[in-house]
Amino acid sequence: MESEGSVVLVGGYGVVGARLAGLLRERHPGLPLVIAGRRREPAELLARQLGGAEAVVLDVSTESPLAALAFRPRLVVSLVNDPEDRLLLSAARDGVPVLDITRWTSRVKTAVLRLAGTPSRAPVLLSSAWMGGLVPRLVAASAPRLGPLERVEVGIRFALTDQSGPDSLEYMDRLGLSFEVTEEGAERRAVPLTDGRRVTFSDGRRTRVFRLDTPEQATLPVVLGARTVATRLGFDSGAVTWLLAALQRLGVVRLLQHPRLTPLRRALMASNGAGGEAAWVADVEGARGHTRIEVVDPRGQAHLTAVGALLGVERLLGLDGAPPPGAGVWFPEHDPRPEHALETLRACGVQARVEERLQREAA
């Protein structure tokens, strides 16, 4: 296979990466793929399973990670934590488009600041919002008809039996740390596992959900002008959700932030990997009406995140029916064809429903 012009999946043999590789092979069979990571064996195994893909060893902790490649990629997809932004900056310096889906809000902001000092000659799509950027993409699809956005309320139901990769488990490391949110156009700090409310999901089940630090709470106000954005998460086990919220109120979650207790923190969110359903809803209120977005993926959160990443790849390569973006930093909300997201979700077996109620319909 000719490596020049390949899409390089860094961390491509991981929980989400392997699913993304499979989706890309199904939807774009002629697209050259390279599976990259620190370990050669799993990369080569997946490359063989895909047929026609290549495998390379690449470590994001090195000074210039892309120097490990003997070719110029068409696109780099970062599916692993890049804490020093070395992969991101390496791609920006070399003029290689990059999609990044693995960072929480503070690290998104840090990446933007670092990129400001390294003028990019290619687009950088920071798509770490919930499920590979699906939440802000679908909210953006509703915005033109709703007018100025007043409120976006996102509720997530997390299945305890779902498969979680190491990057997902790192969210447990953030549960004791406050984060910034925007309410009524003003910023304030919120604490995870507080400010609970009940949300009714598409199957009729009501689930208690609590605040969680996710990047769309920072990007939706900036990109779309939303005055209030709140994302909350609850487990499909009410007892587990209640326990975590109670531990937060008692101050135990903050005490668990000690580095020596990392295994215990992550054990609270670890699953048996047998599989579970991923579900989220978003209630979007604008000056001209309200939209309810309901998304359910029977194959779980890893598959749903891979679909979100797939949309990012198609956006950067111009495979979604619109020209690729120019150089600079982009977010999922900038999608010129947000309706493509719904088409892709349904084509990938994800249940997606959007119900709008505009003021002129109510009149």
Side-chain angles (χ1 to χ4, degrees):
M1 187 187 76
E2 180 59 49
S3 297
E4 191 77 19
S6 297
V7 173
V8 178
L9 306 181
V10 182
Y13 52 76
V15 174
V16 173
R19 287 166 174 78
L20 173 59
L23 288 170
L24 287 170
R25 180 59 81 229
E26 291 173 11
R27 286 175 62 87
H28 308 287
L31 188 65
L33 297 179
V34 174
I35 309 302
R38 289 181 298 173
R39 295 181 293 148
R40 179 176 296 277
E41 292 78 8
E44 289 181 339
L45 175 61
L46 180 58
R48 287 195 300 270
Q49 292 172 345
L50 292 169
E54 289 191 8
V56 298
V57 174
L58 187 150
D59 188 347
V60 299
S61 67
T62 60
E63 189 62 34
S64 185
L66 292 187
L69 304 179
F71 58 91
R72 180 184 179 82
R74 183 179 177 186
L75 170 67
V76 170
V77 181
S78 179
L79 299 151
V80 295
N81 267 320
D82 181 18
E84 301 301 322
D85 293 326
R86 288 176 175 169
L87 177 62
L88 195 65
L89 296 176
S90 179
R93 287 192 300 266
D94 294 347
V96 176
V98 59
L99 168 67
D100 188 302
I101 71 161
T102 309
R103 57 184 65 227
W104 47 82
T105 308
S106 62
R107 291 196 53 241
V108 169
K109 295 178 178 179
T110 298
V112 172
L113 292 174
R114 283 178 171 160
L115 288 167
T118 306
S120 175
R121 296 184 289 114
V124 175
L125 178 53
L126 298 177
S127 194
S128 296
W130 192 255
M131 299 288 101
L134 283 177
V135 166
R137 279 185 193 279
L138 296 187
V139 170
S142 300
R145 293 179 293 280
L146 294 177
L149 296 184
E150 296 295 331
R151 179 176 295 272
V152 180
E153 297 276 355
V154 181
I156 300 160
R157 188 174 67 204
F158 191 99
L160 288 174
T161 57
D162 205 352
Q163 188 175 18
S164 300
D167 293 325
S168 296
L169 294 180
E170 288 198 9
Y171 265 102
M172 288 302 296
D173 297 341
R174 313 276 313 162
L175 292 182
L177 306 177
S178 64
F179 57 96
E180 288 185 353
V181 297
T182 300
E183 293 183 349
E184 300 300 332
E187 289 188 349
R188 75 168 182 87
R189 297 200 71 82
V191 177
L193 299 173
T194 63
D195 191 17
R197 63 175 53 192
R198 290 193 179 278
V199 173
T200 301
F201 287 82
S202 58
D203 58 4
R205 292 172 57 188
R206 287 176 60 80
T207 302
R208 191 80 169 171
V209 294
F210 294 88
R211 286 277 194 171
L212 179 72
D213 180 12
T214 54
E216 68 272 1
Q217 293 173 95
T219 60
L220 282 170
V222 173
V223 180
L224 296 184
R227 289 180 52 77
T228 296
V229 183
T231 299
R232 296 176 175 86
L233 177 144
F235 296 94
D236 57 354
S237 167
V240 171
T241 305
W242 178 88
L243 174 62
L244 285 173
L247 291 176
Q248 182 70 282
R249 288 195 298 271
L250 294 171
V252 175
V253 172
R254 188 170 185 82
L255 293 175
L256 288 173
Q257 296 305 303
H258 193 284
R260 292 182 179 177
L261 298 177
T262 296
L264 175 60
R265 286 197 309 272
R266 297 186 181 179
L268 292 173
M269 199 169 178
S271 71
N272 59 22
E277 179 183 83
W280 62 266
V281 298
D283 288 294
V284 187
E285 296 180 12
R288 296 196 293 269
H290 170 267
T291 295
R292 170 95 169 173
I293 303 168
E294 300 177 344
V295 174
V296 178
D297 191 342
R299 298 190 226 181
Q301 64 154 352
H303 179 263
L304 190 56
T305 303
V307 176
L310 169 68
L311 287 164
V313 171
E314 293 182 338
R315 174 79 292 273
L316 287 173
L317 297 181
L319 299 175
D320 57 358
V329 177
W330 302 88
F331 294 100
E333 295 94 321
H334 290 118
D335 195 339
R337 290 193 68 239
E339 67 276 8
H340 175 69
L342 278 175
E343 299 168 2
T344 302
L345 282 167
R346 291 163 179 161
C348 294
V350 179
Q351 302 163 22
R353 180 172 176 266
V354 177
E355 181 180 351
E356 289 185 345
R357 183 167 184 178
L358 304 182
Q359 287 180 355
R360 65 176 179 271
E361 295 176 351

